Amino acid sequence: MVRCDVLTFGDFVAKSGRRTPYFVNAGRYRTGAQVAELGRFYAELVVETFGDDVDVLFGPAYKGIPLAVTTAIALAEHHGRDVGFCFDRKEAKDHGEGGQLVGAQLRDGDRVVVVEDVTTAGTSIRTTLPLLRAAADVEVLGLVVGVDRRERGSRTDVTALDELAAEYGLQVAALATVDDLVEHLRDREVDGRRVLGNDDLDRLAAYRATYGVG
């Protein structure tokens, strides 16, 4: 994540509106090798969490689109599971085949897993679920993300992922938590550069004290 400039430290504003000392931007995975490796990680997490009980992966536009595609490829190539994938348009198409979803056509009974880069307050998934359920009588099994920021949700004092799990009956899983990232990068150099300075650690601690859980 550091080598790909996906994980950066500084002063940012998250989709939730919170000012944050670190940012995760999966849009900065930019080569085939990077995305292929990421897909293998996601596929392993999907299998570990849901087994074979998945029919379709859904990637919310825009960053979720390549994540759903590369995860579907990895499931086929490394796990012998040929699942569908689909994603949404930002605006419904009023010509050609029309509609707002692209890719696998959702059917009644399909078991769907949503694939995202990061969840801060759960805003995106609350938009996604009504869209999926309007397309067909699907069962949205859960949500897998790259990073769990371990922050309070928008409605309760538990994490955003735990809040979504309780609110919608989802299984949720993450490749890593912010605590995993900090623990791994603390006092570590990446390509000769120290990634986390003392100021970064102080800002992270203050931010976690304000918004963090656990």
Side-chain angles (χ1 to χ4, degrees):
M1 293 174 70
V2 171
R3 288 192 173 112
C4 297
D5 295 323
V6 169
L7 174 63
T8 51
F9 299 93
D11 185 20
F12 309 95
V13 178
K15 183 185 293 186
S16 63
R18 298 172 182 172
R19 298 197 71 87
T20 171
Y22 73 101
F23 197 67
V24 178
N25 181 4
R28 288 182 174 168
Y29 290 116
R30 289 165 286 195
T31 73
Q34 291 170 358
V35 174
E37 185 171 12
L38 185 65
R40 289 194 293 273
F41 294 148
Y42 269 95
E44 289 172 8
L45 183 61
V46 168
V47 171
E48 178 183 308
T49 307
F50 304 99
D52 292 335
D53 296 330
V54 179
D55 299 306
V56 180
L57 301 175
F58 177 79
Y62 290 102
K63 294 173 186 174
I65 297 174
L67 296 180
V69 174
T70 190
T71 303
I73 292 171
L75 284 171
E77 292 186 344
H78 300 285
H79 299 276
R81 292 283 293 117
D82 190 20
V83 305
F85 67 85
C86 66
F87 53 91
D88 60 324
R89 297 182 172 97
K90 286 294 187 179
E91 297 180 358
K93 187 177 179 182
D94 59 3
H95 60 281
E97 78 279 12
Q100 194 168 351
L101 298 183
V102 182
Q105 184 174 357
L106 295 179
R107 299 169 298 182
D108 291 351
D110 275 348
R111 299 162 298 181
V112 181
V113 170
V114 180
V115 182
E116 283 210 280
D117 57 345
V118 64
T119 293
T120 301
T123 306
S124 176
I125 195 73
R126 288 190 172 92
T127 303
T128 293
L129 289 181
L131 177 66
L132 295 175
R133 288 168 174 165
D137 184 17
V138 300
E139 181 183 2
V140 181
L141 299 177
L143 167 69
V144 293
V145 300
V147 177
D148 179 359
R149 293 177 60 105
R150 299 293 299 165
E151 294 177 27
R152 290 195 305 275
S154 60
R155 303 176 182 180
T156 65
D157 287 333
V158 301
T159 70
L161 283 182
D162 289 340
E163 183 178 271
L164 291 170
E167 186 174 343
Y168 294 104
L170 305 176
Q171 286 184 269
V172 296
L175 291 174
T177 69
V178 61
D179 301 310
D180 295 329
L181 301 179
V182 172
E183 180 64 26
H184 182 73
L185 293 171
R186 186 191 302 271
D187 300 323
R188 180 186 296 268
E189 290 188 352
V190 178
D191 299 332
R193 175 176 64 92
R194 186 180 177 190
V195 176
L196 270 176
N198 291 331
D199 289 345
D200 296 314
L201 290 168
D202 288 343
R203 285 194 294 268
L204 278 163
Y207 184 79
R208 296 279 286 127
T210 301
Y211 296 112
V213 175

